[in-house]
Amino acid sequence: TGMLRALERERSRKLLHESNAKYRILFETMKEGAFYQNANGRLEDVNDAALAILGVTRGEFLGRTSESSAWNVIAEDGTRLKPSEHPSMRGLLSGKPVDRMTIGIWNPAIRSYRWVATSAIPLFRDGGANPAQVFVTFHDLTERKEREDQLRYQSTLLDQISDTITATDLD
């Protein structure tokens, strides 16, 4: 039976190793930005898509907290979000998921805001009452938001014109 237990432990170790390798490939190659933040608010892991969207290096990202003055995060109405209002911190503080919260994050590489839809999933350990960390995913909405803003602007202009406008095509 000792030999069987040893074989089972080895099999379990291999399965765990394969599972971790698959997870890592998924995390690193997904098109959505993703990161982990611990219960103290420190950023622990990040994928390349997140770094590209945020315009920072891995070294600039890791080790920061939501409290870092390097972050400039705004709500859809343009008001600056306090660190406790960031989706990741809302998930950590409440212990409840945050689903598709739209925020603007300043990207220093392009010197402009990137608009993202952000979700945060609190993760608990061993039935603990408070999250041990939060897993955050987000995707870039900037182009869509810019098109929507442009359409709103054009609509406002058309509403203010008192002349008749006719649109025709080549036919």
Side-chain angles (χ1 to χ4, degrees), residues 74-117:
I74 59 175
E76 282 189 275
D77 66 4
T79 59
R80 189 175 178 120
L81 290 180
K82 294 182 234 171
S84 62
E85 297 171 332
H86 295 183
S88 59
M89 291 305 295
R90 287 177 62 183
L92 280 171
L93 295 171
S94 72
K96 296 179 182 169
V98 175
D99 189 36
R100 300 185 50 80
M101 180 178 171
T102 300
I103 58 174
I105 302 176
W106 182 257
N107 177 314
I110 61 172
R111 302 179 54 84
S112 180
Y113 284 96
R114 301 304 295 185
W115 291 96
V116 294

Side-chain angles (χ1 to χ4, degrees), residues 14 27 39 75 92 109 132 139:
K14 285 181 181 179
F27 182 75
L92 280 171
H139 64 274

